[in-house]
Amino acid sequence: FFKMSPSGGIGEELIPLINRLQDKFSQARLSKQINLKLPQVCVIGSQSSGKSSVLEALVGKDILPRGKEICTRRPLCLQLVQKDAKQSAKQGRPAEWGQFLHIKDKIFTDFEAVREEIQAETDRLAEGKSISSEPIRLMICSPNVLTMTLVDLPGTTKVPVGNQPSNIEEQIRELVMTYIQHETCLILAVSPANVDLATSDALMLARQVDPQGTRTIGVITKLDIMDPGTDAVEALKGKIIKLKLGYIGVVNRNQAAIKAKYDMKYAQQTEAEFFQDNHVYREVASQCGIRNLSTSLSRLLADHIQTHLPQLRRQVEGKLREARTKLDVLGAKAPEGPREQGALVLKLVKGVAARLGDLVHGRVVMPVTPGVNDLYGGARIRYIFYDIFTGSLEALQPIQELSDQDIWTTIENSCGTKGPLLLPEAPFELLIRGAVARLTEPCTQCLALVHRELTSLIEQACREAELESFPRLVEEVRRHSEDFTRGTLTPAESMVRNLVDCHLAYINMSHPQFIGIAEAIHVANVSISQKREADAAAAAAAASSPPPSNLSALTSASPAAHPLNDQRNLWAISGEDAEPVDKMPVSSSRGTSALLSFLRLTKQIPAAPKGLPSSGLGGGDSVPITWQPGQGKGISQLVHRGEDGSLTLASPPAGLPVKEIESGKEQLQITTTRVLLGSYYDIVRKSLQDMVPKVVMQFMVNELTKGIEPHLIQLLYREEGFAALLAEPGDLAKRRQLAHDTYSALQEACEAIDQVYSKIAQTVSYKLTDHLYSKENMSPMSNGYPVNGSNDQD
């Protein structure tokens, strides 16, 4: 049913549809922009294959440049439209006329002038003997042609001639391949009969892109000049090289007839006489001749377009959506009136402020990309609060960094001439203030990190598609927003520093979570006892172990090298050896930790083993600690005895180090002070860990999201500045116009395709009979319409 006559039915709708699309895209310079592969017939062949004569025979007029050298140097898109003479007369035109797309306002009735215009337009872009890929589009209307579209491509050549480039063969082959490689292209491969078909350039090129021969039509020319005793019957039957669409033999005018300017009627008559008189070709005469070639091409092209029409429709619709998106991104042209300009500025500024707030509060959902699990927006700020900032505070351990000697030095210096009591208050406050002051740096760095994130969020908020058309406005919005964010940093930093200063101004030892003096002494005593017991166990283990084999090494060792001989080893609980005190459980006024509750149930602290020094608080025998050589400053270094027996006191040195820790009382003071420092520092750290994020949110984040909109409106909503803010970059207008033209062309293409579908549906509804619904006769369907008919050549 769908194989109607080329002069009517579906063929009349499909081929002109493709012609309209080609003209529309080419006229608007959109072929490369849209990049649609429309169904068409491309004519290829060698330079001397008779390709031009075949085309002129299909047209019925001499229109192509001729010569000994390469003549077709630009693709010629030849649209043949069958139009009744009466219809042309109604339009005030002759029966046969031509029109070029590049000079659409001029009608050509003299076909010699058509040939001259083709030559002139070729020379315009392809100077000398070079080639150009820019096509020439020519429409010829005549009652003597069948509707079809042919693309005449440059003939292949082997050797450059004259001023042709040395790689002319490669250039022509690349140009031909760009046209015939697509499945939507039917290939008309022209080969001369007096050359071995296996060496045909046209068939070799076609086979590279169509190895099965499903879309290649073979044309064999010059049958009349073959050597005597030879013929091309086997080639025409497809026995040499098989093509699914078959071969058609033609006889063109010879050079003598061309020079004598015999018309096409003479050529058709001569061709008919050749096949009628030459009995060799009688069995294939039905598939030979220009008339048969014209009929077959028109029908095959209509069927080919019909097959690819659903795919073409989907491609056009997809391109239309892309063009709409691009047009939306470029935005509409800025209004000219101040009122309209002000409304647009206000709309864009409010849009930036709203998007910024959405980004901060997590109301913008980004598309999920598999394998990409990144945080964005406000979630990054939260990560700064509870991962980076909190982690930095926990990593900062100023109390553990203090050695016992550091604490004892502070205790000694803070007591002046009086000497330390059991637990003096001054060294505690001095040390805790130093530790708290070190918290300032991570707090201010937290502000800087959040400020950086807010600046990044401003950048994201300014990437709205509708803002891309106004780069000056984007620049001003970004600049003023960053200034506003920078302004929030100052009060936030001042507030954070004030928080730290408040903790430094008053050391609240009555804080309900502070461990207190009594509890600290208890914890210190437990820690000292545990350390002493561990050292005693280590000493006992060392004493019971076999003596070393090297007795000389043992006897030569210093007495202090043995753990039992160095009494300080039994007392020293340094920051490196002891468990961090600020990590030990502490008590409060309302309760105690599990560890201290257990300790309070203990009736007495274990006494030191016999023979070992006691803490002085936990029971056990007290062993006096005496000075030994090598410990501290020797008396001989402090007092000088003269020859007469008089004593001279030595002057203290400029740098006088504190004496080493020598008694249990001193160790108890140091350990208790460390416990107190750890407890109070932990209170301050947790307070800042809670308050700094609140300060950041109040003074920076919330201030930005709430105050940025009025701030921008105040600075930018000024009538004298609207024009400058909405000024477009130089190439934006061109890009918008190109996008608009692309969208309009694709929209027209969609409408044209829909019109053809509608006419096809009407035709099917009118002529379709019940038996056509059977599986044997029903064509495949797409979108509710038949899209593929049978093919006699299949």
Side-chain angles (χ1 to χ4, degrees):
F1 169 74
F2 290 105
K3 297 192 310 175
M4 298 179 179
S5 63
S7 60
I10 293 178
E12 282 189 346
E13 301 296 336
L14 296 178
I15 298 177
L17 166 66
I18 300 301
N19 292 343
R20 290 198 301 272
L21 297 183
Q22 288 178 337
D23 290 346
K24 184 63 181 177
F25 298 156
S26 299
Q27 189 177 15
R29 304 285 183 182
L30 299 175
S31 297
K32 295 181 180 179
Q33 184 79 11
I34 296 177
N35 194 26
L36 281 176
K37 309 306 177 185
L38 300 175
Q40 56 191 356
V41 178
C42 291
V43 187
I44 63 174
S46 62
Q47 189 172 328
S48 58
S49 62
K51 178 170 59 69
S52 297
S53 297
V54 172
L55 289 172
E56 288 182 335
L58 292 171
V59 177
K61 298 291 181 181
D62 294 331
I63 61 171
L64 300 177
R66 290 184 177 276
K68 295 181 180 180
E69 300 177 355
I70 180 172
C71 300
T72 304
R73 293 181 285 116
R74 287 179 61 182
L76 174 63
C77 185
L78 186 60
Q79 298 176 359
L80 302 182
V81 180
Q82 187 182 53
K83 183 169 290 190
D84 187 70
K86 294 180 179 180
Q87 187 178 359
S88 296
K90 289 181 181 180
Q91 298 176 350
R93 296 174 179 174
E96 296 181 313
W97 53 275
Q99 185 181 38
F100 288 94
L101 188 64
H102 61 276
I103 43 176
K104 204 169 184 180
D105 56 344
K106 183 177 181 179
I107 300 298
F108 288 80
T109 57
D110 181 5
F111 287 92
E112 184 65 29
V114 171
R115 182 202 301 240
E116 294 174 356
E117 179 59 30
I118 292 175
Q119 185 65 57
E121 183 63 14
T122 299
D123 294 338
R124 186 175 67 85
L125 291 183
E127 298 179 354
K129 297 299 179 180
S130 62
I131 64 172
S132 171
S133 61
E134 190 69 24
I136 301 173
R137 307 193 67 81
L138 170 63
M139 179 177 65
I140 293 179
C141 296
S142 170
N144 303 318
V145 299
L146 292 180
T147 300
M148 69 182 76
T149 302
L150 305 169
V151 180
D152 182 22
L153 296 172
T156 58
T157 184
K158 300 291 185 183
V159 181
V161 178
N163 61 351
Q164 289 180 349
S166 59
N167 63 337
I168 186 67
E169 180 182 3
E170 290 78 8
Q171 289 185 18
I172 293 176
R173 286 181 177 272
E174 289 179 4
L175 176 60
V176 170
M177 294 299 286
T178 57
Y179 276 84
I180 68 174
Q181 65 182 343
H182 304 290
E183 290 293 328
T184 55
C185 176
L186 287 176
I187 305 171
L188 191 66
V190 181
S191 306
N194 58 350
V195 177
D196 187 2
L197 198 63
T199 62
S200 168
D201 288 346
L203 291 177
M204 289 175 63
L205 288 173
R207 178 168 288 185
Q208 294 180 25
V209 296
D210 182 28
Q212 304 301 322
T214 56
R215 54 186 180 93
T216 301
I217 309 163
V219 176
I220 300 179
T221 63
K222 301 184 180 183
L223 297 172
D224 55 330
I225 62 173
M226 293 184 70
D227 293 337
T230 61
D231 60 70
V233 174
E234 296 295 314
L236 291 171
K237 289 182 178 180
K239 293 184 177 181
I240 299 177
I241 298 177
K242 187 176 180 180
L243 295 177
K244 190 174 182 180
L245 299 180
Y247 291 86
I248 298 176
V250 298
V251 175
N252 298 322
R253 292 176 298 170
N254 54 34
Q255 290 299 320
I258 293 174
K259 289 181 179 179
K261 296 187 177 180
Y262 290 138
D263 60 13
M264 290 300 170
K265 290 183 179 180
Y266 169 81
Q268 293 175 5
Q269 183 180 355
T270 303
E271 182 186 52
E273 292 175 354
F274 173 82
F275 288 113
Q276 183 177 1
D277 298 339
N278 198 327
H279 66 279
V280 177
Y281 292 102
R282 286 180 182 175
E283 60 176 320
V284 292
S286 61
Q287 66 186 71
C288 294
I290 288 295
R291 186 180 298 275
N292 185 47
L293 175 61
S294 178
T295 303
S296 299
L297 281 178
S298 182
R299 177 178 55 82
L300 288 172
L301 180 58
D303 290 346
H304 192 64
I305 295 173
Q306 179 181 320
T307 300
H308 290 277
L309 190 60
Q311 178 184 356
L312 177 62
R313 185 184 192 184
R314 290 191 295 270
Q315 289 178 351
V316 171
E317 290 174 347
K319 296 284 185 180
L320 183 65
R321 288 191 294 269
E322 293 177 5
R324 178 73 264 178
T325 301
K326 188 170 185 179
L327 201 58
D328 292 339
V329 169
L330 294 174
K333 184 179 179 181
E336 298 181 357
R339 178 178 297 179
E340 292 78 9
Q341 289 176 340
L344 180 59
V345 170
L346 194 62
K347 173 189 173 184
L348 296 176
V349 167
K350 287 185 174 181
V352 171
R355 180 169 175 81
L356 180 60
D358 291 342
L359 286 169
V360 169
H361 299 298
R363 293 191 292 263
V364 176
V365 180
M366 297 292 184
V368 177
T369 303
V372 179
N373 304 308
D374 295 338
L375 297 176
Y376 62 88
R380 292 179 61 89
I381 296 177
R382 186 179 185 276
Y383 178 82
I384 292 174
F385 288 158
Y386 299 108
D387 287 86
I388 297 177
F389 175 60
T390 300
S392 67
L393 293 186
E394 292 177 352
L396 185 64
Q397 298 289 344
I399 306 304
Q400 290 188 11
E401 294 173 7
L402 291 173
S403 67
D404 286 355
Q405 202 69 23
D406 295 333
I407 297 176
W408 181 243
T409 301
T410 305
I411 294 174
E412 287 274 87
N413 288 329
S414 64
C415 294
T417 60
K418 299 178 181 179
L421 296 176
L422 180 61
L423 288 173
E425 184 177 325
F428 167 76
E429 293 192 358
L430 184 63
L431 290 172
I432 196 60
R433 283 191 172 91
V436 170
R438 292 183 59 182
L439 293 171
T440 305
E441 184 177 359
C443 293
T444 55
Q445 287 183 4
C446 177
L447 302 183
L449 292 176
V450 174
H451 174 261
R452 189 182 306 168
E453 287 299 322
L454 292 176
T455 303
S456 176
L457 291 179
I458 292 172
E459 291 282 345
Q460 296 180 41
C462 291
R463 292 176 192 161
E464 278 290 317
E466 57 184 348
L467 286 171
E468 292 185 6
S469 302
F470 311 108
R472 179 66 185 278
L473 177 62
V474 172
E475 180 183 353
E476 291 297 310
V477 168
R478 183 185 296 115
R479 182 171 64 87
H480 290 305
S481 298
E482 290 176 356
D483 290 344
F484 185 84
T485 307
R486 199 176 299 112
T488 64
L489 187 60
T490 301
E493 184 175 354
S494 176
M495 183 64 184
V496 167
R497 292 186 180 277
N498 284 337
L499 285 176
V500 178
D501 290 344
C502 288
H503 286 291
L504 294 174
Y506 178 59
I507 306 301
N508 182 17
M509 288 186 288
S510 299
H511 193 281
Q513 295 180 355
F514 186 54
I515 190 172
I517 299 294
E519 202 69 52
I521 293 174
H522 184 72
V523 172
N525 260 318
V526 172
S527 177
I528 292 172
S529 298
Q530 291 175 346
K531 176 67 175 177
R532 184 183 59 200
E533 291 173 359
D535 289 345
S544 62
S545 60
S549 58
N550 192 348
L551 297 178
S552 60
L554 181 62
T555 55
S556 63
S558 172
H562 197 280
L564 293 178
N565 293 334
D566 188 358
Q567 297 178 355
R568 290 171 297 168
N569 288 336
L570 305 178
W571 291 90
I573 305 178
S574 64
E576 292 79 4
D577 298 328
E579 180 183 358
V581 179
D582 56 342
K583 296 296 183 179
M584 297 179 65
V586 296
S587 65
S588 65
S589 59
R590 291 170 290 182
T592 61
S593 66
L595 174 62
L596 294 181
S597 298
F598 169 78
L599 292 175
R600 282 175 175 169
L601 295 175
T602 305
K603 295 184 178 181
Q604 63 178 1
I605 298 175
K610 187 175 182 181
L612 294 179
S614 170
S615 64
L617 295 175
D621 297 332
S622 176
V623 180
I625 300 177
T626 60
W627 175 85
Q628 297 180 9
Q631 294 181 347
K633 295 287 185 179
I635 296 179
S636 60
Q637 295 176 306
L638 303 178
V639 179
H640 299 282
R641 185 182 299 274
E643 294 179 356
D644 57 354
S646 62
L647 298 178
T648 304
L649 302 182
S651 299
L656 181 60
V658 69
K659 67 178 181 178
E660 295 184 6
I661 304 166
E662 298 177 346
S663 68
K665 176 183 176 182
E666 295 170 354
Q667 186 62 57
L668 179 63
Q669 289 177 319
I670 294 170
T671 305
T672 304
T673 303
R674 185 185 295 279
V675 172
L676 294 172
L677 291 172
S679 174
Y680 197 85
Y681 175 81
D682 194 55
I683 294 171
V684 176
R685 177 182 60 80
K686 290 180 179 179
S687 174
L688 293 177
Q689 183 177 324
D690 175 65
M691 288 301 301
V692 170
K694 294 178 178 178
V695 171
V696 172
M697 289 300 300
Q698 173 64 19
F699 288 86
M700 295 181 66
V701 179
N702 293 342
E703 181 68 17
L704 177 64
T705 56
K706 294 178 181 179
I708 189 62
E709 180 179 324
H711 177 74
L712 292 176
I713 292 176
Q714 180 182 4
L715 294 175
L716 299 179
Y717 193 76
R718 298 177 180 178
E719 184 174 339
E720 64 274 11
F722 290 159
L725 290 175
L726 299 178
E728 298 179 347
D731 64 334
L732 180 60
K734 294 181 180 179
R735 290 190 287 122
R736 183 187 292 113
Q737 185 62 45
L738 179 61
H740 182 270
D741 293 343
T742 302
Y743 180 77
S744 299
L746 289 168
Q747 200 170 32
E748 292 180 16
C750 278
E751 293 173 357
I753 293 174
D754 288 341
Q755 290 175 4
V756 171
Y757 265 110
S758 178
K759 290 182 180 180
I760 292 175
Q762 292 175 6
T763 304
V764 171
S765 176
Y766 179 72
K767 293 188 176 183
L768 199 61
T769 57
D770 292 341
H771 77 279
L772 292 177
Y773 284 101
S774 64
K775 294 183 179 179
E776 292 79 7
N777 297 321
M778 191 60 184
S779 299
M781 305 291 287
S782 176
N783 294 328
Y785 301 107
V787 298
N788 188 18
S790 62
N791 191 330
D792 285 348
Q793 298 284 343
D794 292 351

